[in-house]
Amino acid sequence: MLWLDWASKRKQADCDECLKLAELHSIAVDFPKSGIPAEIPKDLRFSRFEPRAHWREKKDVEPYRCESTVGKLYDDVIADTHKITKIRNYPAVVGRKWNNKGQLLST
């Protein structure tokens, strides 16, 4: 998902960082054959505390609003999730924890 963070930050999926990550992905896929590991350089990593798009929220980090297609899809899902309150009574989810957006949290 690192490439999505960069694409969101740069507002384009063909930014230099995304292209470098795509190249590293190709190297990683070939690792069993080539034995060459793909190592992500520090300049391509995001700090734990660096803001992410609102659809990639991190704990203790203020997200920024992202108007990309992914951001809009996320907003639509969240809006629909708030409309569905009956799901909390389904036997498979009774007693599970939910966040403040109405999303079921993984256990």
Side-chain angles (χ1 to χ4, degrees):
M1 299 282 281
L2 186 56
W3 72 274
L4 281 173
D5 290 331
W6 279 110
S8 175
K9 184 176 182 175
R10 299 286 190 240
K11 296 184 174 29
Q12 60 184 36
D14 64 347
C15 65
D16 290 340
E17 293 85 359
C18 289
L19 296 175
K20 289 175 190 173
L21 287 166
E23 187 178 329
L24 287 170
H25 175 78
S26 179
I27 292 169
V29 169
D30 288 341
F31 176 74
K33 264 191 321 193
S34 68
I36 300 170
E39 297 178 18
I40 300 174
K42 286 185 180 183
D43 64 321
L44 287 181
R45 297 179 190 170
F46 267 57
S47 153
R48 178 176 173 218
F49 300 105
E50 189 163 349
R52 306 290 204 287
H54 71 287
W55 47 267
R56 284 272 291 152
E57 289 182 54
K58 289 284 206 176
K59 200 176 195 178
D60 302 326
V61 177
E62 187 69 30
Y64 61 86
R65 187 105 194 119
C66 178
E67 295 298 326
S68 69
T69 302
V70 176
K72 291 174 184 174
L73 286 170
Y74 175 85
D75 292 340
D76 288 347
V77 168
I78 293 301
D80 286 345
T81 302
H82 285 298
K83 295 176 191 172
I84 305 171
T85 55
K86 289 190 269 183
I87 195 170
R88 291 181 187 237
N89 296 323
Y90 288 0
V93 296
V94 169
R96 301 270 304 271
K97 293 183 180 181
W98 302 77
N99 70 10
N100 62 351
K101 294 178 183 167
Q103 297 171 305
L104 184 62
L105 298 175
S106 61
T107 55

